[in-house]
Amino acid sequence: MITHPKPEELTEAVGRWIEEIRPQLDPRNQFLARVAANALAAVTRELTLGEEAKAAAVHRLGPILGHGGTYEGLNWELCEKLRAGELDAATPGLLPALRANVLDQLAIDQPNYRHEGSLP
Amino acid sequence: MNVDVREGLEKLAVRLAGEGARVVEAQRLTGGASMETWAFAVEAPGGRQDLILRRRTAPFDPESSRSTSLAAEAALIRAVAERGAPAPPLVHLCDAQDGLGEAHVTRRIPGETLGRRINSDPKFDAIRGDLARQCGEVLARIHATPPPQAANLKFADAAVELDRYEEVYRASGAERPVLELAFRHLRQHLPEPRTPVLLHGDFRNGNLIIDPDKGLAAVLDWELSHLGDPAEDMGWICTNSWRFGRPDRPVGGFGEYADLLAGYEAAGGEPVPLERVRFWQALGSLKWGVMCLTMYMSWATGTTASVERPMIGRRVSETEIDLVNILEAGL
């Protein structure tokens, strides 16, 4: 893929421009512009962190499901087994794996979100 | 339905305050998909009134909707006020003569509604410690209110809520392991049935008006009121999504569980065990996660166009970490 510029550099540049013009907008559009800048920031993080997060999730789900595969395939199978009750909160290693996967996703979606698990 | 709200308010001012009354400072505060809120003031020879207009902007089907009608909301506000629960006093229920569609007018209560400010602004330091107890007291009064016939409230306990939200989740086509786990886990840990009571249905930081001197001054947004488990209202205000950056203070990001429960009992509420509140807190996270998906879906299907909607879909992971935290702590 082209690296001059990288896609995350384009999203970053557009995000910065939105921040620049934001003060000139009416209150409703200021709010929406902030949401738009946040969306671009999430895309930027997904572009830089997404592949690694996916690989880590595959690595974590393998032992729980007993085999390897693609992220999409393993995620689908995990959903089906949880729905059927074949795996549940008592399954050894399940909650720690889910926690690690969700934390990786949260680092992309909402890195500033504070929750009970982020308490000292 | 095209309604000129400003023009409607001018007519309404005369109806409420007589000839010579005029509207000043009318501004739209929020505009959701189906409801909008306006702040305005009426100046008349007899004095000035600060008011709030709530009006529906999309067709309403009382059979399928989870929301009550604004007429039902008006009946509820009157009923709970008689029991000493603070709701903004109803001034007027609009009719065809007003030309504003389905709408009502209440008094505007001064104070703060933004959760983040309530939780961090030093001007609330003096009363912040009282809020959880006040919430408990007010909930006990709401729950003790006989449901007004005119409101025609629906019943929904945890099983009903799980069915409703799981259906929405399945229809979305999303594949989220933590939500799958939570649906099944909560179904298998349903609390023992309790006598249904009148619930506010959206009792959370953000729907409370907080006065820097007196604390809890009014409870807003009664449209999700229904009959159900008293712990639902308690669990919802403890859901981490409404703690606004203060997960260390479980009640709304401003208070402690023990104070909420003590206030509830002190005002005559039947004791509610903490684990029941935690169950509903988890169900609260699950519901909010599905609602975030719903908001993304409303954009994906072309129902709404705002950039805000798809981005809210990226908040589902917030509710997933909250669910994992509760499940790991034990439920």
Side-chain angles (χ1 to χ4, degrees), chain A residues 20-41:
Chain A
E20 238 173 74
I21 61 154
R22 203 159 66 85
Q24 306 162 27
L25 305 173
D26 64 72
R28 176 75 186 151
N29 278 314
Q30 278 196 19
F31 167 73
L32 291 174
R34 200 176 66 206
V35 174
N38 287 344
L40 283 172

Side-chain angles (χ1 to χ4, degrees), chain B residues 285-317:
Chain B
S285 287
L286 180 57
K287 281 166 60 175
W288 177 237
V290 174
M291 284 185 225
C292 291
L293 277 176
T294 308
M295 286 188 245
Y296 157 67
M297 291 303 292
S298 77
W299 178 84
T301 56
T303 313
T304 53
S306 163
V307 63
E308 193 190 359
R309 293 298 164 124
M311 194 50 196
I312 289 178
R314 287 293 177 125
R315 296 189 61 187
V316 179
S317 36

Side-chain angles (χ1 to χ4, degrees), chain A residues 28 31-33 35-36 38-40 42-43 45-46 61 71-72 75-76 78-89 94-96 98-99 102-103 105-106 108-110 113-119, chain B residues 28 31 166 169-170 174-178 180-181 184-185 188 238 240-243 245-248 250 257 278 281 306-309 311 313-322 324-329:
Chain A
R28 176 75 186 151
F31 167 73
L32 291 174
V35 174
N38 287 344
L40 283 172
V43 174
R45 290 189 296 269
E46 181 149 332
L61 295 182
Y71 171 79
E72 288 73 16
N75 190 62
W76 177 83
L78 179 62
C79 284
E80 290 300 303
K81 291 198 160 149
L82 288 166
R83 185 181 179 181
E86 291 169 40
L87 300 172
D88 60 27
L94 179 78
L95 283 174
L98 288 180
R99 168 180 297 280
V102 170
L103 284 176
Q105 186 64 51
L106 201 59
I108 292 169
D109 293 344
Q110 305 289 344
Y113 186 67
R114 300 196 64 230
H115 52 91
E116 287 181 357
S118 60
L119 293 174
Chain B
R28 203 178 87 173
E166 186 163 355
Y169 167 72
R170 299 275 164 232
E175 293 171 358
R176 308 291 291 237
V178 175
E180 295 282 0
L181 173 64
R184 194 170 165 102
H185 190 91
Q188 293 189 323
C238 295
N240 192 51
S241 306
W242 315 124
R243 295 187 198 171
R246 292 305 303 250
D248 53 321
Y257 288 121
R278 289 280 289 181
Q281 182 186 317
S306 163
V307 63
E308 193 190 359
R309 293 298 164 124
M311 194 50 196
R314 287 293 177 125
R315 296 189 61 187
V316 179
S317 36
E318 296 179 353
T319 66
E320 288 174 326
I321 195 62
D322 291 333
V324 170
N325 285 329
I326 296 173
L327 292 174
E328 277 200 328

Side-chain angles (χ1 to χ4, degrees), chain A residues 6-78:
Chain A
K6 290 183 267 190
E8 57 266 36
E9 289 173 320
L10 291 175
T11 50
E12 190 187 329
V14 179
R16 281 194 201 168
W17 172 73
I18 291 174
E19 287 300 336
E20 238 173 74
I21 61 154
R22 203 159 66 85
Q24 306 162 27
L25 305 173
D26 64 72
R28 176 75 186 151
N29 278 314
Q30 278 196 19
F31 167 73
L32 291 174
R34 200 176 66 206
V35 174
N38 287 344
L40 283 172
V43 174
T44 308
R45 290 189 296 269
E46 181 149 332
L47 287 167
T48 50
L49 305 171
E51 282 309 312
E52 206 179 315
K54 246 180 162 174
V58 166
H59 188 71
R60 291 179 194 118
L61 295 182
I64 289 166
L65 296 170
H67 59 84
T70 63
Y71 171 79
E72 288 73 16
L74 294 173
N75 190 62
W76 177 83
E77 186 183 334
L78 179 62

